[in-house]
Amino acid sequence: MTSEQAFVIGYDISNPRRLPRVHREMCRHASPLEYSIFLLVGSNAAKDRCLEEIEALIEPQDDDVRCYALPVRGFQGRIGRASLPEGILWTGLPAAIV
């Protein structure tokens, strides 16, 4: 049995030609939270596959890609202006990690 975990993956790509390629590849593996911040819910193997695909697209000396595992049942909150109208809550996180 493969257990799922949530990962936040973010990137800073220095070359404007590489940037859309990395974004398209990330969209194949994870859900965008912002343009360069993604939520990947899956196994460690799925996370490793995603990062291997991204590694093939970047220049390690120029670009920065970071991946953080989220704690199971960790705090979830928001700071700042709401992106959705009042009364609408986004519950897109899988029940396994909420």
Side-chain angles (χ1 to χ4, degrees):
M1 180 177 144
T2 304
S3 64
E4 288 196 335
Q5 186 171 353
F7 302 92
V8 172
I9 302 172
Y11 57 78
D12 183 15
I13 307 300
S14 63
N15 183 297
R17 295 184 74 185
R18 281 194 304 273
L19 183 59
R21 294 179 195 146
V22 172
H23 183 79
R24 280 192 302 274
E25 186 62 35
M26 281 300 307
C27 286
R28 292 182 60 233
H29 297 277
S31 300
L33 300 174
E34 294 288 337
Y35 186 81
S36 62
I37 306 294
F38 287 77
L39 176 66
L40 186 150
V41 178
S43 65
N44 275 315
K47 181 253 312 171
D48 292 343
R49 269 191 310 279
C50 173
L51 295 176
E52 287 171 8
E53 296 289 331
I54 297 305
E55 185 176 20
L57 298 175
I58 69 167
E59 292 294 330
Q61 67 275 15
D62 298 329
D63 302 328
D64 187 20
V65 178
R66 298 181 185 213
C67 179
Y68 302 97
L70 295 178
V72 175
R73 299 203 180 277
F75 170 77
Q76 297 176 26
R78 177 184 51 79
I79 298 173
R81 188 173 64 89
S83 58
L84 296 173
E86 188 174 334
I88 305 288
L89 299 175
W90 180 64
T91 58
L93 293 176
I97 64 166
V98 174

